[in-house]
Amino acid sequence: MFDLVIRNGTIVTAADVTRCDVGIRDGRIVMLGEALPKGKTEVDATGQYVMPGGIDSHVHLSQPSGDGIVMADDFESGTRSALFGGNTTVLPFCLQQKGQSLREALTAYHALAEGRCLTDVSFHLIVTDPTPNVLGQEIPALVEDGYTSLKVFMTYEGLRLRDDQILATLDAARTSGALVMVHCENEDAIRFLIGKHEQAGDLAPKGHASSRPVAAEREATHRALSLAEIVGVPIVIVHVSNREAMEEIDRARKRGALVVGETCPQYLMLTAEDLDGDGWEGAKFVCSPPPRDPESQAACWQGLEQGIFDLFSSDHCPFKFDDPEGKLNERGKKSFRWIPNGIPGVETRLPILFSEGVIKGRIDLSRFVALTSTNHAKLYGLYPRKGTIAVGSDADLALWNPALKRTITNEDLHHGADYTPYEGLEVTGWPETVILRGQVVIDRGKLVAAPGSGSYLRRQRSNLTKAV
Ligand code: URP
Ligand code: ZN
Ligand code: ZN
């Protein structure tokens, strides 16, 4: 009757913690109950938490990042790393180049992903060139085809949109039912401050943090929220780093806006001090928005506990450190301005939140599952196929040993970067066995799946855009 039965585990969903067996057939959960009949295969989960596989809805893989710069993960290494960290689905970005149609961009990214993924994947579209054709023709058609989320940038020359372009993109999203994610930092303010640093010869990595202050993030967050209110559309504010941006989200919600906040491990675990390491070591921590200070870390924890944040994602954006195509490229060795932005984290996201959040008593198990899986599925049109343990859902599961103590070290990780920002961090709890659509893909820490075992997911509209 069952292809696989997971027995004796503690089942954790965003709603409940219960003891029962999980019966799986044809890749889906078909029964939950006590003492289920024998399956063709059995996994004993005694002493383990059985959770929905993690969904990381903010991941960059094989994304071009400037002249001569190469991202350290492609779809194979990035999804392998994700799997080892307890994820069964990741949502990478498909970047539209200026002058390119969204369809052309998608064709290129599908070619990069095809046959290589070890988790299930689905693309968000980064809109950099919102032409009338992109807005009027492509976005509505692509939403129908299951590409139901977009990202826009308020920073980075070459990627940023002007306010009129953001308004037009939000309006296209409103009429088609796409959900828009916004990277909120004020590019003009950042350019101004980078200029000041350069005039002063202040070029070391720590200048990255001081040229991207909280005020630049807060102002852009306020503006993005205002633009979304004007259009009347829900938005996601991604990678929020500090209290002032959180307060903007809170105020917008109190005015009745539909806003989702996302934060990431770097804003809980790192600070701007990390960018001030010996020599150019600080380059390892250059990401945007930058890590802030201990008060901001405490604020982000509060946001996870109290609901300002519904999403906890990695913003995995890996570059090698000691490499001419990475952080220490020829120009990056001389000025922070040319250090590629982004840090790896897809494999460490879940263990860090489990250890620092659940084990340390800041959040409970169900909140952990909501923040790392269920809310991502609901928000990005994958629920209830993904993100929960229920009859009919895909059997995407992570079996956690909650007592396993590990010291995070790059040697043990599976990403393509040559470092982890969390080197030496001690964590308790790790997902030792991972199951993707009913197949054991990580068996007690050993990979037993091949590239191509992950599928591409066509998504429904977000529960949030359906609501308006
Ligand atoms: O520094 C970061 N976060 N790089 C990734 C691109 C982005 O803005 O998400
Ligand atoms: Zn961003
Ligand atoms: Zn990102």
Side-chain angles (χ1 to χ4, degrees):
M1 184 178 186
F2 301 120
D3 298 328
L4 172 65
V5 174
I6 298 163
R7 226 173 263 292
N8 306 321
T10 300
I11 313 299
V12 185
T13 68
D16 301 297
V17 181
T18 49
R19 293 290 297 273
C20 71
D21 302 337
V22 184
I24 295 163
R25 193 175 55 233
D26 296 333
R28 295 192 310 142
I29 296 166
V30 291
M31 196 175 282
L32 297 166
E34 291 177 344
L36 291 190
K38 209 162 163 38
K40 287 184 205 153
T41 323
E42 302 249 332
V43 170
D44 181 15
T46 303
Q48 300 196 307
Y49 291 130
V50 180
M51 302 203 196
I55 301 175
D56 194 339
S57 62
H58 191 147
V59 171
H60 303 266
L61 302 173
S62 288
Q63 197 178 299
S65 306
D67 284 350
I69 304 298
V70 178
M71 202 160 263
D73 275 317
D74 59 16
F75 282 84
E76 183 179 327
S77 62
T79 55
R80 184 187 298 122
S81 181
L83 207 60
F84 272 102
N87 301 282
T88 48
T89 297
V90 300
L91 274 61
F93 293 89
C94 164
L95 171 68
Q96 177 199 23
Q97 304 285 358
K98 286 246 161 68
Q100 197 181 35
S101 72
L102 295 177
R103 286 277 181 203
E104 283 166 347
L106 278 166
T107 302
Y109 275 80
H110 275 293
L112 291 169
E114 183 67 35
R116 296 209 171 89
C117 297
L118 289 106
T119 62
D120 284 354
V121 296
S122 190
F123 298 133
H124 306 290
L125 298 161
I126 296 178
V127 178
T128 62
D129 200 1
T131 62
N133 188 54
V134 164
L135 299 175
Q137 310 297 322
E138 286 209 286
I139 289 177
L142 288 168
V143 170
E144 289 302 322
D145 287 352
Y147 303 96
T148 55
S149 49
L150 315 174
K151 183 177 180 190
V152 298
F153 284 87
M154 300 171 89
T155 184
Y156 299 136
E157 217 42 75
L159 297 184
R160 72 184 282 201
L161 300 187
R162 300 183 311 266
D163 288 358
D164 62 312
Q165 294 175 311
I166 295 174
L167 284 161
T169 306
L170 290 170
D171 202 33
R174 184 185 61 80
T175 52
S176 56
L179 182 64
V180 181
M181 312 156 79
V182 191
H183 180 134
C184 301
E185 288 184 289
N186 180 317
E187 177 68 14
D188 292 338
I190 292 164
R191 291 275 135 201
F192 169 79
L193 290 172
I194 291 176
K196 292 270 181 207
H197 280 73
E198 285 179 340
Q199 277 163 21
D202 199 357
L203 303 178
K206 70 175 179 356
H208 173 79
S210 40
S211 60
R212 290 180 172 266
V214 164
E217 184 180 343
R218 185 233 302 138
E219 184 280 330
T221 304
H222 176 80
R223 188 155 35 100
L225 290 164
S226 303
L227 299 179
E229 276 175 73
I230 288 163
V231 173
V233 70
I235 55 168
V236 184
I237 306 290
V238 291
H239 45 47
V240 175
S241 72
N242 69 87
R243 186 183 298 283
E244 293 182 26
M246 290 165 55
E247 286 168 352
E248 295 296 339
I249 294 173
D250 195 35
R251 272 198 281 274
R253 282 190 184 152
K254 287 181 175 138
R255 292 191 296 271
L258 280 178
V259 187
V260 171
E262 175 200 76
T263 194
C264 313
Q266 46 272 37
Y267 306 118
L268 305 178
M269 305 306 296
L270 305 176
T271 68
E273 295 269 293
D274 290 303
L275 279 80
D276 194 12
D278 290 343
W280 230 249
E281 281 288 304
K284 290 180 175 173
F285 305 93
V286 165
C287 61
S288 295
R292 306 291 184 186
D293 58 9
E295 200 286 316
S296 301
Q297 292 179 324
C300 288
W301 275 115
Q302 260 178 30
L304 287 170
E305 289 156 26
Q306 295 169 6
I308 291 292
F309 298 122
D310 290 313
L311 298 174
F312 186 73
S313 310
S314 67
D315 193 5
H316 179 78
C317 186
F319 298 97
K320 287 195 167 139
F321 172 66
D322 194 5
D323 194 284
E325 293 179 333
K327 298 279 190 182
L328 299 192
N329 66 81
E330 217 34 61
R331 293 191 297 176
K333 280 197 279 205
K334 299 194 184 105
S335 169
F336 68 84
R337 182 179 185 151
W338 302 109
I339 298 171
N341 283 207
I343 61 175
V346 76
E347 193 168 344
T348 46
R349 170 186 76 126
L350 294 169
I352 287 174
L353 188 66
F354 187 86
S355 185
E356 293 289 321
V358 177
I359 298 289
K360 294 197 174 167
R362 289 164 158 142
I363 55 172
D364 67 18
L365 283 164
S366 288
R367 180 87 181 127
F368 174 80
V369 169
L371 284 165
T372 57
S373 181
T374 315
N375 292 350
H376 301 249
K378 288 183 174 172
L379 200 69
Y380 294 116
L382 290 169
Y383 191 81
R385 176 174 173 195
K386 305 287 190 187
T388 193
I389 299 176
V391 171
S393 296
D394 281 0
D396 291 353
L397 303 165
L399 275 51
W400 282 73
N401 177 345
L404 185 70
K405 289 191 190 300
R406 279 181 65 168
T407 303
I408 292 178
T409 179
N410 195 57
E411 236 171 79
D412 294 342
L413 300 178
H414 302 83
H415 59 206
D418 55 357
Y419 78 99
T420 166
Y422 309 108
E423 187 69 35
L425 179 70
E426 291 181 13
V427 292
T428 303
W430 202 279
E432 286 186 307
T433 294
V434 181
I435 295 167
L436 175 65
R437 283 178 278 102
Q439 299 294 320
V440 175
V441 283
I442 305 266
D443 186 3
R444 288 157 290 175
K446 296 266 176 303
L447 181 68
V448 289
S453 44
S455 296
Y456 188 81
L457 301 169
R458 185 187 165 119
R459 287 179 285 125
Q460 306 289 310
R461 287 177 175 79
S462 169
N463 64 341
L464 217 59
T465 61
K466 275 193 210 142
V468 291

